[in-house]
Amino acid sequence: MSPRRILVTSALPYANGHIHIGHLVEYLQTDIWVRFQKLRGHRCVYVCADDTHGTAVMISAEKEGISEEDLIARMHEAHVRDFSGFQIEFDNYGSTHSQENRQLCAEVWAALRRAGLVVEKEVTQLYDPEKKTFLADRYVKGTCPFCKLPNQYGDSCDNGHTYSPTDLIDPVSTLSGARPELRSWPHLFVRIEKLHDFLQQWTQQGGHLQPEVANYLAGHFLGEPLRDWDISRPAPYFGFEIPDSPGNYWYVWFDAPIGYMASTLQWCKRVGEDFDRWWRDDGTEIHHFIGKDITYFHCLFWPAMLKTAGFNLPTKIHIHGFLTVDGQKMSKSKGTFVRASTYLEYLDPAYLRYYYASKLPPRVDDIDLNLDEFVAKVNADLVGNVVNLASRTARFAHTTGLSPRYPEDGGLFERAARDGEAIAEAYEKCDYNRAIRLILEASDRANQFIEQAAPWNLKKDRAKHDQLRDVCTVGLNLFRQVAIYLAPVLPRMAEQTGQLLNQPICRWDESKTPLVGKPVNRFQHMITRVRAEQVQAMIQASREPEEAERPAAAQAWDDGDEPLRAEPLAPTISFDEFVKVDLRVARVIAAEDVPEARKLLKLTLSLGGSSRRTVLAGIKGVYRPEQLVGRLVICAANLAPRKMKFGTSEGMILASGSGDEEIYLLYPDKGAKPGQRVH
RNA sequence: GGGCCCGUAGCUCAGCGGUUAGAGCAGGGGACUCAUAAUCCCUGGGUCGGGGGUUCGAAUCCCUCCGGGCCUACCA
């Protein structure tokens, strides 16, 4: 087989946050694939970069009082450190804020213009007059025009109503607290519909996408005309100004994927390669690894851009699912939102590399990091089964060395050498789960062999020295095969195996030829067992301070400013306005679930005597009905009844928190009586 | 409302038209002592989410329902 030329990318991590164990699913999946290809002898280049542009970076920089450039430089450094800690090896790790990227963006842009795909349309948006900037939906808050729920984002409210930010009642900019005004501005759009036929064909044929992804696109986007893509943002915007449209900047999703090319270009300059050979040459394969959340950009816009500008199209887009921890979404308060750097303080990266590999299917399925299983798998498979194989033979072999000729082994070496093809095929298809299972089977057979050959008995009899040497030669060669097959996942172990046997592991095919006549070095532990306490310590360290236990001796409170920032103060009101709201103490005398509703509980409140109110409260996410019965709450009692899908709500009960997972009901101190007004 | 993925042993998953449905871990019993309390042997455990259908034959294909996750739209 002649060597393939393969360019591989992972999605560009956003410069606004740190790498966490969810990101690592992707970078480890990709790194393993790249290492596999290199080990197979192919020409394979792995590029990535920080995604640096957009509003979120601007806001963070301002919040910290530093320039965007300083912020992204700092994050770049942190990202690189995290990746290298996990033995993720890029050939180039760049930034979308680079000269190369600006140049390539201009090139792609010119091609879109030339093809007549760019049109200008007025867009009317809310504008923050204080910050002199247009506001994306998530930076506007106000009262839902439908249910009058206050403090809702610009596109939808917690009760599930969707609307335009211009319909919000009393909108407030979360950037400045100012009242936004409506303004229009010309935006540039890409008429992607002109490429509909091409995209239909490209997504449905040629095996570029997993079947479920192709179906998703066909059913969801390609069944109707594709909408124009709004690709420009007015200043101020951290990004690249559009050369032929001063005052406008490319939307971050335009320049981010071009960052794949820009990073390649940087690499080409550094090592003296020809860029066109990698991006304009049918002989090159391009493989993107991404998460399912960004399917839309990579499978529609990106091929459209490449096609128009005459670059290589992706050979394959490998899409993976999300990470859950112990079956649930990662959570900051539970401590399962673990940063890469935190992980590395407590655990060996080899554990996670192995664990993810053992779980990853070729499909888009989510994968679960089950912490108990993590410990069990690492200890049982990696240490107990694989490394132990070396550990239990290398000590004997240190004195004997390897036999000059490979001894009879009942066909075990041959068998594992043959299985190499099936294992390689599994890696190629990103079916790491299957690859690992096959490898573990080989390791199992080797352990059985050792057990039965009992080198510890042979050692007792000097006359059996040669037999002992033969058994160790078999055992270590079977181990070496396993180490080769696991090299993409566990590069460190492959190196250690090379040192142990005085023969570095460089090629996959070395699994086909037994190693003989070599001295064996003193065995050193390759991977240590993991203890559940270490994992627990890591989880503890990842818990957000707000959830940590309060210190008994309350010293200075260190309350963060995030809540206030997330929801700035509303405009000042007069006392007269305040007293219009009649807040009352009320007792929950009945509570029941509204099964069809995602968030609602139906509460019956007593205001004392025979006064009853039925209130539908969106607190199901946190409170169960039985917890509430008997409790005192505070209720907005003179609110106009509101007809909702599941009945009429005659008031609201007071709670703080963002909504879904975070809700804190307010209740009065002991002694308060239902019906009392709150002044 | 539409779509996608998943539902197989206590747990995590494999099998995706054909012999009595598998693995690892966990459980039970035994062996061994070289090894990081590792290893080896034996063993219990499953209406393959429910129900229909296609087929000589279905965990595997089709329909439908239920449950979990996700994406996306619209109305109010």
Side-chain angles (χ1 to χ4, degrees):
Chain A
M1 180 172 48
S2 58
R4 294 150 60 188
R5 191 163 62 244
I6 309 170
L7 180 71
V8 182
T9 72
S10 294
L12 313 187
Y14 199 49
N16 198 32
H18 286 280
I19 302 299
H20 56 68
I21 56 175
H23 291 116
L24 288 170
V25 171
E26 174 167 314
Y27 299 99
L28 291 177
Q29 182 186 41
T30 317
D31 185 68
I32 289 167
W33 202 77
V34 168
R35 286 177 183 273
F36 165 72
Q37 299 298 352
K38 289 179 174 174
L39 192 64
R40 293 283 277 178
H42 298 305
R43 190 78 206 286
C44 185
V45 173
Y46 182 17
V47 299
C48 194
D50 267 0
D51 178 16
T52 57
H53 292 154
T55 316
V57 163
M58 282 171 76
I59 292 172
S60 292
E62 190 191 337
K63 200 153 102 180
E64 296 199 36
I66 59 176
S67 70
E68 284 92 354
E69 282 79 2
D70 286 348
L71 180 108
I72 64 176
R74 197 174 64 194
M75 200 51 86
H76 190 272
E77 198 182 320
H79 286 177
V80 166
R81 193 180 326 120
D82 289 342
F83 288 135
S84 101
F86 275 91
Q87 293 149 20
I88 293 159
E89 257 180 32
F90 300 108
D91 290 280
N92 194 66
Y93 193 84
S95 162
T96 56
H97 198 61
S98 69
Q99 199 41 54
E100 289 83 358
N101 202 35
R102 187 189 288 271
Q103 171 199 330
L104 285 159
C105 284
E107 204 175 314
V108 173
W109 182 246
L112 292 172
R113 284 278 201 195
R114 234 179 290 125
L117 294 177
V118 180
V119 293
E120 190 176 297
K121 291 194 273 189
E122 288 278 307
V123 172
T124 303
Q125 250 186 313
L126 290 180
Y127 180 85
D128 182 331
E130 222 166 275
K131 289 278 173 186
K132 300 196 184 342
T133 179
F134 283 94
L135 295 164
D137 293 353
R138 64 173 177 238
Y139 297 115
V140 185
K141 284 200 152 189
T143 298
C144 170
F146 298 109
C147 64
K148 308 294 187 282
L149 200 60
N151 279 308
Q152 298 306 303
Y153 284 111
D155 54 347
S156 62
C157 82
D158 288 341
N159 285 341
H161 301 109
T162 55
Y163 41 78
S164 152
T166 53
D167 296 336
L168 272 182
I169 300 167
D170 293 331
V172 170
S173 162
T174 62
L175 304 186
S176 66
R179 187 188 175 90
E181 50 197 54
L182 271 183
R183 283 207 191 177
S184 292
W185 189 263
H187 279 229
L188 297 167
F189 288 77
V190 175
R191 303 198 59 194
I192 190 177
E193 172 60 14
K194 285 197 170 180
L195 290 158
H196 197 134
D197 291 345
F198 158 71
L199 288 170
Q200 173 72 33
Q201 199 203 344
W202 187 82
T203 57
Q204 304 305 310
Q205 289 166 36
H208 307 300
L209 304 173
Q210 288 131 302
E212 63 263 43
V213 177
N215 289 343
Y216 160 73
L217 295 170
H220 204 84
F221 297 102
L222 294 165
E224 52 194 59
L226 296 163
R227 274 173 276 176
D228 294 344
W229 185 33
D230 184 353
I231 207 172
S232 72
R233 295 292 181 272
Y237 191 77
F238 181 57
F240 294 138
E241 193 167 26
I242 302 176
D244 52 16
S245 182
N248 286 316
Y249 288 71
W250 283 308
Y251 176 45
V252 55
W253 264 110
F254 176 75
D255 71 56
I258 294 174
Y260 296 143
M261 291 195 280
S263 188
T264 313
L265 179 55
Q266 265 181 5
W267 173 80
C268 286
K269 287 178 179 172
R270 208 180 63 232
V271 301
E273 279 274 336
D274 174 16
F275 177 78
D276 284 351
R277 195 152 165 75
W278 291 88
W279 278 97
R280 286 196 235 253
D281 185 324
D282 288 345
T284 300
E285 297 175 32
I286 294 177
H287 292 257
H288 297 303
F289 286 78
I290 62 166
K292 63 183 181 183
D293 50 330
I294 54 178
T295 298
Y296 172 69
F297 295 102
H298 280 81
C299 299
L300 296 176
F301 296 121
W302 178 231
M305 285 160 65
L306 291 170
K307 172 78 176 168
T308 306
F311 290 105
N312 276 10
L313 290 162
T315 307
K316 202 153 188 187
I317 301 182
H318 307 260
I319 304 182
H320 61 81
F322 296 147
L323 178 73
T324 56
V325 180
D326 282 341
Q328 298 194 294
K329 275 209 279 200
M330 292 194 295
S331 142
K332 288 187 176 172
S333 60
K334 290 194 180 83
T336 53
F337 203 97
V338 182
R339 283 190 188 178
S341 55
T342 309
Y343 175 101
L344 291 171
E345 283 171 34
Y346 292 88
L347 301 170
D348 184 340
Y351 303 157
L352 198 67
R353 292 185 67 101
Y354 177 78
Y355 184 80
Y356 281 170
S358 77
K359 306 271 299 188
L360 274 169
R363 294 178 304 275
V364 188
D365 307 359
D366 291 349
I367 72 164
D368 185 49
L369 166 56
N370 179 294
L371 296 171
D372 292 336
E373 191 200 22
F374 173 82
V375 173
K377 242 184 156 78
V378 166
N379 287 342
D381 295 0
L382 264 192
V383 181
N385 194 318
V386 174
V387 177
N388 186 231
L389 197 50
S391 179
R392 64 193 309 205
T393 47
R395 283 158 216 272
F396 301 124
H398 180 52
T399 52
T400 66
L402 297 179
S403 306
R405 288 179 48 200
Y406 189 71
E408 172 56 41
D409 69 356
L412 287 175
F413 188 88
E414 193 45 46
R415 166 82 192 276
R418 245 193 351 259
D419 285 354
E421 281 318 302
I423 295 165
E425 202 179 309
Y427 271 121
E428 177 70 37
K429 291 196 301 205
C430 288
D431 196 350
Y432 300 167
N433 165 290
R434 177 173 163 76
I436 298 293
R437 261 182 300 118
L438 290 170
I439 296 167
L440 261 283
E441 281 174 24
S443 187
D444 275 338
R445 290 193 299 268
N447 269 310
Q448 288 161 25
F449 169 85
I450 300 294
E451 193 68 26
Q452 184 229 330
W456 50 93
N457 288 333
L458 300 174
K459 190 193 172 190
K460 293 172 189 159
D461 188 347
R462 294 201 66 157
K464 293 182 175 164
H465 173 271
D466 284 2
Q467 262 186 66
L468 174 64
R469 190 178 61 181
D470 283 353
V471 167
C472 292
T473 300
V474 171
L476 283 171
N477 267 291
L478 296 178
F479 167 72
R480 182 162 172 270
Q481 283 179 314
V482 169
I484 293 169
Y485 295 151
L486 284 176
V489 179
L490 302 171
R492 179 91 193 93
M493 193 179 84
E495 274 172 39
Q496 291 166 319
T497 303
Q499 283 157 16
L500 178 71
L501 301 177
N502 295 293
Q503 178 75 38
I505 289 171
C506 306
R507 300 272 307 216
W508 184 269
D509 282 351
E510 286 162 351
S511 62
K512 289 179 178 159
T513 315
L515 204 60
V516 290
K518 292 262 183 187
V520 173
N521 288 320
R522 183 173 292 284
F523 179 80
Q524 289 173 333
H525 278 8
M526 293 177 169
I527 296 171
T528 56
R529 302 175 67 78
V530 56
R531 286 175 295 110
E533 304 85 76
Q534 294 171 272
V535 176
Q536 277 320 309
M538 175 185 80
I539 295 296
Q540 275 303 323
S542 299
R543 290 177 70 190
E544 288 277 291
E546 63 191 26
E547 283 290 313
E549 294 77 59
R550 305 259 176 270
Q555 306 134 349
W557 286 281
D558 187 19
D559 295 328
D561 60 352
E562 295 82 7
L564 190 56
R565 223 183 254 286
E567 209 171 292
L569 291 179
T572 304
I573 59 168
S574 67
F575 179 76
D576 289 345
E577 286 175 291
F578 166 68
V579 295
K580 285 183 186 166
V581 182
D582 193 347
L583 300 174
R584 296 285 169 157
V585 175
R587 190 182 299 282
V588 180
I589 57 173
E592 57 180 294
D593 186 30
V594 182
E596 316 87 76
R598 196 163 59 87
K599 293 184 172 180
L600 295 179
L601 294 182
K602 184 175 183 179
L603 307 181
T604 304
L605 303 182
S606 164
L607 295 177
S610 58
S611 178
R612 300 282 181 274
R613 293 294 178 89
T614 301
V615 169
L616 291 166
I619 57 173
K620 191 196 279 193
V622 175
Y623 293 91
R624 281 173 293 130
E626 58 271 24
Q627 294 176 303
L628 296 168
V629 176
R631 266 182 86 159
L632 294 179
V633 295
I634 307 295
C635 137
N638 61 338
L639 203 57
R642 173 114 212 118
K643 227 180 136 187
M644 299 171 73
K645 187 168 175 189
F646 308 106
T648 300
S649 185
E650 305 163 321
M652 290 179 73
I653 58 171
L654 270 51
S656 71
S658 63
D660 286 328
E661 309 254 301
E662 221 197 351
I663 300 170
Y664 308 100
L665 275 182
L666 262 58
Y667 55 95
D669 259 344
K670 238 189 223 116
K673 295 181 181 63
Q676 284 179 334
R677 182 159 186 189
V678 179
H679 298 283

